[in-house]
Amino acid sequence: RSVDRWLWLYAHRFQDPVFRLFPSELEAVYEEKNQSMDSFEPIAEVFLKHFFPTHPYGSQVVLGSVEHLKNPSLKEMYAFYRRYYVPGNMALALSGDFDAEAIWPVIEEQFGSWPEGPVPAQPPARERPLSGRTQVTVRMTPVRITGLGFRLPPPGHPDYAATLVANELLSNDQEVGYLDQLARDGAVLLAQAVPIPLNDYGVGLVAVVPRLLTQSFAGAEKKLLGELAKLKRGAFTDAELAAARRSLVNEQRAQWEDNEERVLAMVESFGRGERWQDYLDFLAQLDAVDRDQLIRAARTYYGDDFLVLRSRVGFPPKTRLEKPEMRPVEPATGRSPFAGQLAAVPDRPTTPRFIDFNADVETALVTRGVHVQANKNPFNDIYTLELRHGIGMYDLPALEVVDDYLTDVGSATRGADEFKRALFLLATTLEFEATEEEFIVRLSGPEAQLPEALALVDELLNAPAEDGAALRRLCRERWGLNLVAKREPEVIADALREYVTFGRGSTYLRAVSTRELMGTRPRKLVKALQQARRHAVTIRYVGARRAAELAELARAKLHFPARLKPARPPVVRPRKVPKTDQVYWVKRRQSVQTQIILSVDGEPMTAALRPWADAYNEYFGGSMGGLLFQEVRELRALAYAVGGAYLEHAVAGQPGLLLIAAATQADKTLEAITVMRALVQDLPRKADRIPGLRSALVRSQEAAQPGFRALQEYIHAWRLRGFNDDPRRGLLPAYARLELDDIARFHAAHIRDRPQTVMVVGDPRRVSKKELARFGEVHVVPTRKLFSR
């Protein structure tokens, strides 16, 4: 509906830009750089530096070096813009529900007058070939890791499709690739092949985590090279090759179900300088890769010339970007002439397409306690099917391990390797997920293979193998993954939020610990699965079949226990509600950034309050236009990332929660908390924003059409909140009547004058307990209290 305004705005934005807020945006990049130093990005930069010693991929860093960021040049930025942002060097990519013929004249009108400029020459950036085996050793990871880097062809190269298929035979979703098998056999802890398609060169990264105590770097590398040798001599069957091709084709076709993925495909094609037809022909190229092509590509690109990056356990020193002196920017008030011109651009009329809960999703009965929900896939022949058992890990904690265990075992009559290979040959993925409320079995693949896939699932669910080796392997993998996760600042902050909000009910504390897992036997996990399967099942299906057809197929292929118990009611974890302002602090000296979370407990949502809550969220936390972003990042540069919203509980009648999160430089922590708390307590009144806010809410709901794969989940969530019809029917007219006083009333009833809880993960050398005490009673929380042991 608003595409005309968007085109008008962006035509003006690129033809006649005004670069305001340079200092605050520079600080935002400081924050982004600090954020990268708290992640695994530094080791990636080291890898690229040695893999591309002369090419910009390795000689330059996307975010710039610390020294570059300390000495910016506004003049050089303008020169860069004028040189590269010219019509011949740009593309407009659109994907959505619009009439291309009708919109083309608007594009011509808005962008056609843009004066041409010289397209900057792009001299080819060349990198010398890798020569022999080159090794680099660092100390940058919490566990030992080895990465082998091979030079691959880029997208658009005649060999590119073959290298993708080769990678699929090395690592795939069904975990039957050569490298997957290494980990399954216990030859290494973890192994994976990751293709990185860059425009000038591709990167074939083959990574491995050696066994913790009994394997050297050299031993793990030898294992990897042995598996690559199998690929080069063509040890795969024709059926495996066909399955690898089909899996990749399915993956590519599934991307086209999503508007964002379509636009990204167009942008990437333009960035590579290829014809659009070349991109469209790529699926045919993938589907045509034969044995000779693949072997030739494997021998050409996975040869004896490669980079080895070894990382021993260690943490490199981090260079902190300090906060520069900067006065908060004073925002302009009132409506600008430009905003008035934008508002005058007419909207195209639109009619919302509301969801009919009963007509848009079919239902059918399989047997007592098992029913099907089905809706059509209008795009391709790739189905998704879920068996959702009505009990989850809240009532049956072992299910948290059962999902990973089932991923790694076979049935009582078919070993894990044979079972996984059968799925791979069907180009079908099988996943398991335990949520608080349900145990989910998820299938996806070609529609024609669904009957065989269901038979395999039935075989596994009714008689899973009791595999001690698989369980020991799972223990090792979880130990390594947990070791990494517990060092991630974002993970620690989320665990702190769970601990503060739910106490012992935190999902991190209720998780099965590595110690508990080591004492578990396969029979206990199989028993937990059997308990889960004795509860009612909802089959969610999206594909070509009608609900009745799917129910008939399920009766033929799936066997359910008799007399199923009802599904457990929705889980409502009791929350800890503070009576006064509180501060919870995790001291983490190695953090460059501080993670901040602020929460305020609210009241249950009602139909009358919901439009006001949505308006508050748009006004306060609505992306880059909300007060939170503008006051914290744009005007004061106190955080690179900040966001917040009043979250309605998933279950009707339960209280909501205001939640705000920010990542900031350590020396900005106190100022950021002060600004956030002030915005929460005293909501600024800006009446000039209300017309735009009304329009944004209306348009967002008009465009909020659930995708066909997500339709059933949307309806389920709406029903949990008490709706029997599409809630947009009532929200849209309420949005059109909204006033600033409505937002103020919601804020007063649910947020203002309520206790605020501040959660902080950061360096104690930069923030003291005494300083934090001005925000409330301070509780220092050791990291060990946040996770199960």
Side-chain angles (χ1 to χ4, degrees):
R1 173 179 174 178
S2 57
V3 68
D4 294 61
R5 288 186 179 179
W6 187 91
L7 290 168
W8 187 91
L9 174 63
Y10 272 78
H12 283 72
R13 164 179 267 178
F14 284 107
Q15 291 181 55
D16 189 21
V18 178
F19 294 110
R20 301 184 180 91
L21 305 174
F22 182 78
S24 61
E25 284 306 304
L26 175 63
E27 280 211 63
V29 179
Y30 278 26
E31 292 290 359
E32 190 175 8
K33 184 67 176 178
N34 285 335
Q35 191 174 32
S36 75
M37 287 189 284
D38 271 342
S39 68
F40 282 96
E41 196 163 319
I43 192 171
E45 291 177 358
V46 169
F47 175 84
L48 291 174
K49 177 182 177 181
H50 291 278
F51 194 78
F52 293 111
T54 60
H55 193 285
Y57 290 152
S59 61
Q60 297 179 14
V61 180
V62 173
L63 287 173
S65 69
V66 170
E67 289 307 312
H68 288 155
L69 293 176
K70 286 180 178 179
N71 298 283
S73 170
L74 182 58
K75 180 180 178 180
E76 288 184 14
M77 188 193 76
Y78 269 105
F80 182 91
Y81 182 84
R82 285 191 292 266
R83 182 181 182 192
Y84 290 101
Y85 286 71
V86 294
N89 202 38
M90 298 176 70
L92 175 63
L94 301 173
S95 178
D97 186 7
F98 57 81
D99 184 336
E101 294 298 326
I103 204 172
W104 182 249
V106 182
I107 295 173
E108 286 189 315
E109 177 186 357
Q110 299 299 343
F111 288 88
S113 61
W114 195 346
E116 293 184 18
V119 177
Q122 294 286 351
R126 300 299 183 194
E127 180 60 81
R128 61 177 180 265
L130 295 169
S131 179
R133 178 187 179 280
T134 304
Q135 180 177 314
V136 178
T137 303
V138 296
R139 289 184 178 273
M140 300 184 71
T141 50
V143 294
R144 291 183 302 145
I145 295 175
T146 293
L148 275 59
F150 297 85
R151 189 74 51 76
L152 300 186
H157 189 282
D159 290 339
Y160 178 61
T163 59
L164 281 188
V165 178
N167 190 85
E168 187 74 5
L169 290 172
L170 291 172
S171 297
N172 50 61
D173 289 340
Q174 295 86 354
E175 297 181 350
V176 293
Y178 295 143
L179 301 184
D180 301 319
Q181 195 66 46
L182 273 183
R184 290 179 50 72
D185 292 343
V188 297
L189 187 61
L190 292 170
Q192 189 174 20
V194 183
I196 306 173
L198 303 174
N199 283 2
D200 293 340
Y201 299 94
V203 181
L205 175 60
V206 182
V208 62
V209 178
R211 293 197 308 268
L212 299 176
L213 300 175
T214 59
Q215 189 172 45
S216 66
F217 279 122
E221 181 181 328
K222 185 177 179 180
K223 295 289 185 183
L224 291 184
L225 295 175
E227 298 308 307
L228 291 175
K230 292 180 183 178
L231 191 67
K232 290 186 281 188
R233 66 173 181 262
F236 49 87
T237 66
D238 289 341
E240 289 169 338
L241 174 59
R245 289 196 307 255
R246 181 60 200 245
S247 293
L248 288 169
V249 169
N250 285 352
E251 180 183 317
Q252 294 286 326
R253 293 173 67 201
Q255 289 179 350
W256 280 84
E257 297 173 6
D258 181 77
N259 279 329
E260 183 177 0
E261 291 291 344
R262 294 184 194 130
V263 161
L264 290 176
M266 290 185 268
V267 170
E268 289 170 6
S269 180
F270 169 77
R272 289 194 293 267
E274 67 182 4
R275 297 180 309 135
W276 182 239
Q277 189 60 45
D278 294 336
Y279 179 87
L280 297 178
D281 292 342
F282 180 63
L283 283 183
Q285 294 173 26
L286 268 179
D287 210 25
V289 172
D290 61 26
R291 169 177 289 273
D292 291 340
Q293 278 180 285
L294 196 150
I295 293 173
R296 185 172 61 252
R299 290 174 177 174
T300 300
Y301 299 105
Y302 288 107
D304 297 328
D305 304 316
F306 55 91
L307 171 72
V308 180
L309 178 66
R310 293 178 175 178
S311 177
R312 299 183 182 278
V313 177
F315 303 94
K318 301 175 182 180
T319 304
R320 301 173 186 270
L321 279 164
E322 301 294 343
K323 173 188 173 184
E325 290 297 324
M326 192 198 94
R327 294 181 180 179
V329 178
E330 290 294 331
T333 58
R335 194 181 205 185
S336 70
F338 183 86
Q341 295 171 24
L342 177 61
V345 178
D347 274 341
R348 293 173 184 262
T350 186
T351 302
R353 289 175 291 179
F354 296 116
I355 303 300
D356 186 319
F357 287 13
N358 298 315
D360 291 345
V361 176
E362 294 184 337
T363 60
L365 183 68
V366 177
T367 187
R368 186 174 179 181
V370 182
H371 71 278
V372 169
Q373 297 175 177
N375 63 281
K376 286 288 186 181
N377 171 358
F379 283 98
N380 50 47
D381 68 341
I382 303 170
Y383 73 85
T384 50
L385 182 144
E386 296 176 344
L387 303 175
R388 304 180 74 100
H389 302 82
I391 188 172
M393 56 188 178
Y394 190 81
D395 294 300
L396 197 53
L399 289 177
E400 184 221 337
V401 181
V402 171
D403 58 359
D404 286 338
Y405 176 76
L406 288 178
T407 300
D408 213 26
V409 301
S411 67
T413 57
R414 196 185 317 230
D417 294 344
E418 183 184 354
F419 185 86
K420 286 176 171 290
R421 195 163 301 281
L423 283 170
F424 181 67
L425 295 178
L426 296 175
T428 296
T429 59
L430 172 61
E431 300 173 336
F432 303 90
E433 180 185 2
T435 70
E436 294 286 274
E437 299 168 315
E438 294 179 308
F439 183 73
I440 305 168
V441 181
R442 186 175 291 114
L443 270 175
S444 180
E447 190 74 48
Q449 312 294 355
L450 178 56
E452 290 181 74
L454 284 178
L456 282 172
V457 168
D458 188 67
E459 177 185 318
L460 180 63
L461 293 181
N462 279 286
E466 295 185 17
D467 190 336
L471 186 54
R472 288 191 294 274
R473 187 164 57 247
L474 175 59
C475 287
R476 292 194 299 269
E477 290 177 1
R478 283 208 167 197
W479 181 88
L481 292 172
N482 287 341
L483 189 65
V484 173
K486 290 176 183 179
R487 285 175 164 81
E488 287 291 304
E490 293 85 354
V491 174
I492 296 171
D494 192 58
L496 178 61
R497 177 196 57 78
E498 281 274 321
Y499 171 79
V500 170
T501 308
F502 301 107
R504 295 302 306 174
S506 162
T507 55
Y508 292 90
L509 288 173
R510 290 189 293 109
V512 177
S513 68
T514 305
R515 184 182 304 171
E516 292 172 320
L517 190 55
M518 291 175 65
T520 299
R521 297 292 177 264
R523 181 161 297 181
K524 179 181 177 180
L525 301 180
V526 172
K527 184 178 179 181
L529 173 64
Q530 292 168 344
Q531 287 179 263
R533 297 193 68 237
R534 287 197 285 270
H535 288 76
V537 178
T538 297
I539 302 178
R540 289 190 189 172
Y541 166 77
V542 181
R545 291 171 166 85
R546 303 290 297 268
E549 295 177 79
L550 198 283
E552 183 178 356
L553 180 62
R555 281 192 290 272
K557 297 295 182 181
L558 300 175
H559 298 83
F560 299 95
R563 296 186 295 277
L564 295 177
K565 300 177 183 178
R568 298 287 296 159
V571 171
V572 178
R573 288 187 288 164
R575 289 207 308 240
K576 296 167 60 179
V577 180
K579 293 187 167 97
T580 59
D581 291 347
Q582 303 289 314
V583 177
Y584 291 84
W585 184 24
V586 173
K587 298 179 180 180
R588 190 171 186 273
R589 290 174 65 91
Q590 58 268 49
S591 287
V592 173
Q593 280 195 317
T594 300
Q595 305 291 322
I596 304 169
I597 298 176
L598 188 152
S599 67
V600 177
D601 283 271
E603 299 293 334
M605 189 63 68
T606 66
L609 286 174
R610 189 169 285 107
W612 297 1
D614 292 345
Y616 173 82
N617 284 339
E618 183 69 22
Y619 182 81
F620 179 75
S623 65
M624 296 180 72
L627 288 173
L628 188 61
F629 182 91
Q630 291 183 341
E631 296 289 336
V632 175
R633 171 178 162 163
E634 190 172 69
L635 303 181
R636 294 177 174 83
L638 293 176
Y640 170 71
V642 62
Y646 184 85
L647 306 175
E648 179 181 357
H649 200 286
V651 178
Q654 299 300 318
L657 179 75
L658 175 69
L659 204 61
I660 301 171
T664 185
Q665 288 176 214
D667 54 351
K668 298 180 184 176
T669 302
L670 299 174
E671 187 178 354
I673 296 173
T674 300
V675 173
M676 290 161 61
R677 280 173 50 87
L679 287 172
V680 168
Q681 175 59 25
D682 298 311
L683 189 69
R685 294 179 65 92
K686 297 182 182 289
D688 58 315
R689 295 181 176 223
I690 300 305
L693 181 144
R694 289 195 205 101
S695 178
L697 287 170
V698 169
R699 288 172 189 156
S700 66
Q701 290 299 334
E702 287 175 345
Q705 188 71 15
F708 68 93
R709 300 249 186 229
L711 177 62
Q712 295 182 48
E713 181 57 31
Y714 266 82
I715 292 175
H716 173 71
W718 283 336
R719 281 183 163 144
L720 275 181
R721 288 177 172 166
F723 293 101
N724 294 312
D725 195 5
D726 191 326
R728 295 177 296 166
R729 292 184 187 275
L731 289 173
L732 284 171
Y735 291 159
R737 299 190 300 267
L738 276 167
E739 299 291 346
L740 182 57
D741 285 344
D742 298 325
I743 298 173
R745 279 193 290 270
F746 177 83
H747 175 257
H750 287 259
I751 298 163
R752 192 181 69 197
D753 296 330
R754 289 174 175 261
Q756 296 185 20
T757 301
V758 176
M759 293 154 264
V760 179
V761 177
D763 189 341
R765 294 170 295 182
R766 299 304 181 99
V767 182
S768 70
K769 183 175 181 180
K770 181 179 179 180
E771 291 171 320
L772 288 173
R774 70 183 195 229
F775 305 125
E777 182 183 358
V778 179
H779 310 268
V780 177
V781 184
T783 306
R784 67 177 184 276
K785 293 188 68 173
L786 303 179
F787 301 94
S788 60
R789 298 183 181 180

